[in-house]
Amino acid sequence: MSKTKCPRCGALSIRQGAAKCPSCRAWVSSPKLARSRMRLGPLGVVLLAAGLGGFGMLAGGAAVLVSQGRLGASRAPASASPASSAASPAAPTSANAAPPPRASAAPGPDTAPPPSSEAPRAFEVARIVRLDAPPVDVALADDASRLFVLCEDGTLRAYALDSGVEKARARIPGKGTALRRLSSGRLVVLGIAAGLPLVDTASWLSGAAPSAYLKTIAVKGALDVAASGDPPVLVVATSQGGRVVRLAGPSLVADGELVFSTPIRGLAPLPSAGGDRLLVLLDGRVPTEPGSVIVLDPAARPFGGARAAWSSLLEPRASVAPRSASSERALLFDRATAQVVGFSVGDEPRLAPAGPQPIAAFPWSGDRAVVIGAAGEGTLVSLDRREVLATVALGGVPSSAALSPDGATILVALGGGPRGKGATTVELGGEPLRIVSTLQTGEGSHVVSVASSGRLVVVAASSARIVTVLRRP
């Protein structure tokens, strides 16, 4: 076989067709792979780009699955997943979200919070009514056209809500502690030792003489009142001698009386299909002795002839809440033991933790309750499960609170604290329970009153000497 000369080392040793010189191991010609060329037409370029893009998408998707623990890892139990942990009573899941599979039967009406919902539209400051004396209590007329203010100087005043202009002023025989609105446009002033002043607002605003619109009923030291029945009777609890007096007829004449040996703390209406009942809340004889809840028929004759007693609370209290046509329960709370109690005729009372230092409690949807605490928290509790579901920081020390007629909004005046200079009112609502708005209502905001329509709220501020009118758009 003939050989050729190596172009690098000059040796005559390269056979025909060889690629390397056997002497110096240098390449005589490029290897076949090296000298090959990739020739792609337009279609080949498109297919190559698509392939590279698809590979990138697959790699990215695999990275996401790995980061979520769904690729190459066992699935965590539903109860341990982040989504399930977020679905707590404090943060209910959306109504459209599919619930996790359950092996047990469907939950009862109060074993889970209701679906997430938007809170009603927030209130706005509509007007500020300025006073020359600190306000003690406020009330709204039935048609929400007038605002009535009880002041520390012993006067009762009427203001037009649309303008804030004072329309009338009356001198009350004593300095009252609270104002209550009755049917037919009447007002009573509590806390006066000389008697119970009754004001007919229609005669008062028409310019009649005091003898025509102001009457003093011979019930001394009234601390609470409750009206019920048709024709209505008025039951008055007094701080003098532990008396509960029933007043009946157009002239509200006393026709029955009960006397208790322990201090009376208040009254609470108890709706019932078999006839309304009234709860009389009594403290114990000593601080460590349980108080009592007396259940009686306010229309029975003789008054208090048939009554029942329940003793499990040290300091039973009740909040004033708008009456619900579908509810036959009263909501009580115990300030000493920090419990809230669902009370109804014929059923065993249900107790649940209420959060620290309760000052007010209101019924909430789904057989729940919201308790306002003096420590500055709103606590959502389940009466059926007897547990705290969520807490909301209010941002101040509450002095009073009121529930809207639709039961969807709670207004809390934050005028408490060591100096009583709080100047805001917060609006609680929605699911989960949260602060919907915070409104400036003046230093010493301490009394909240809600109109029967639910669209108007007034807040009295003692230090600022103003009443702020809030309106829902």
Side-chain angles (χ1 to χ4, degrees), residues 178-243:
L179 191 62
R180 295 288 187 270
R181 184 169 59 88
L182 306 179
S183 60
S184 304
R186 296 179 297 178
L187 296 171
V188 292
V189 180
L190 306 180
I192 296 180
L196 179 65
L198 175 67
V199 178
D200 184 325
T201 59
S203 299
W204 177 34
L205 294 174
S206 67
S211 59
Y213 66 75
L214 178 61
K215 176 184 178 180
T216 301
I217 302 172
V219 178
K220 299 179 180 181
L223 59 88
D224 204 357
V225 298
S228 66
D230 189 17
V233 297
L234 186 67
V235 179
V236 184
T238 74
S239 59
Q240 297 185 4
R243 299 166 60 221

Side-chain angles (χ1 to χ4, degrees), residues 228-230 269-279 295-300 323 327-329 344-346:
S228 66
D230 189 17
L270 177 60
S272 172
D276 289 350
R277 300 292 187 267
L278 184 67
L279 304 181
V295 185
L296 56 85
D297 183 352
R323 178 167 177 169
S327 175
E328 294 187 5
R329 298 183 182 275
S344 60
V345 175

Side-chain angles (χ1 to χ4, degrees), residues 322-342:
R323 178 167 177 169
S324 172
S326 61
S327 175
E328 294 187 5
R329 298 183 182 275
L331 194 65
L332 310 180
F333 61 94
D334 188 348
R335 295 182 60 181
T337 62
Q339 296 183 96
V340 62
V341 185

Side-chain angles (χ1 to χ4, degrees), residues 36-84:
S36 64
R37 295 288 187 267
M38 183 181 291
R39 290 184 172 85
L40 295 174
L43 180 59
V45 173
V46 172
L47 291 176
L48 177 61
L52 292 174
F55 178 78
M57 292 175 63
L58 289 174
V64 171
L65 291 174
V66 169
S67 68
Q68 296 182 352
R70 300 182 185 178
L71 189 63
S74 59
R75 176 172 299 203
S79 60
S81 66
S84 297

Side-chain angles (χ1 to χ4, degrees), residues 377-403:
E377 289 185 342
T379 303
L380 180 67
V381 303
S382 168
L383 292 173
D384 277 354
R385 291 155 57 179
R386 302 186 179 189
E387 64 181 7
V388 172
L389 302 178
T391 58
V392 178
L394 300 176
V397 180
S399 51
S400 69
L403 179 68

Side-chain angles (χ1 to χ4, degrees), residues 49-191:
L52 292 174
F55 178 78
M57 292 175 63
L58 289 174
V64 171
L65 291 174
V66 169
S67 68
Q68 296 182 352
R70 300 182 185 178
L71 189 63
S74 59
R75 176 172 299 203
S79 60
S81 66
S84 297
S85 300
S88 64
T93 55
S94 170
N96 297 323
R102 295 179 181 268
S104 59
D110 193 43
T111 57
S116 208
S117 66
E118 291 297 324
R121 295 185 64 182
F123 283 91
E124 299 174 352
V125 175
R127 185 174 303 281
I128 294 178
V129 179
R130 302 192 179 278
L131 312 171
D132 57 10
V136 174
D137 203 354
V138 293
L140 287 163
D142 294 337
D143 60 359
S145 64
R146 294 286 188 272
L147 166 67
F148 303 108
V149 184
L150 177 66
C151 293
E152 282 188 4
D153 61 358
T155 60
L156 179 64
R157 310 177 187 192
Y159 295 86
L161 268 183
D162 58 353
S163 64
V165 175
E166 182 178 320
K167 294 296 183 180
R169 182 180 297 200
R171 176 66 61 177
I172 302 299
K175 294 185 178 181
T177 58
L179 191 62
R180 295 288 187 270
R181 184 169 59 88
L182 306 179
S183 60
S184 304
R186 296 179 297 178
L187 296 171
V188 292
V189 180
L190 306 180

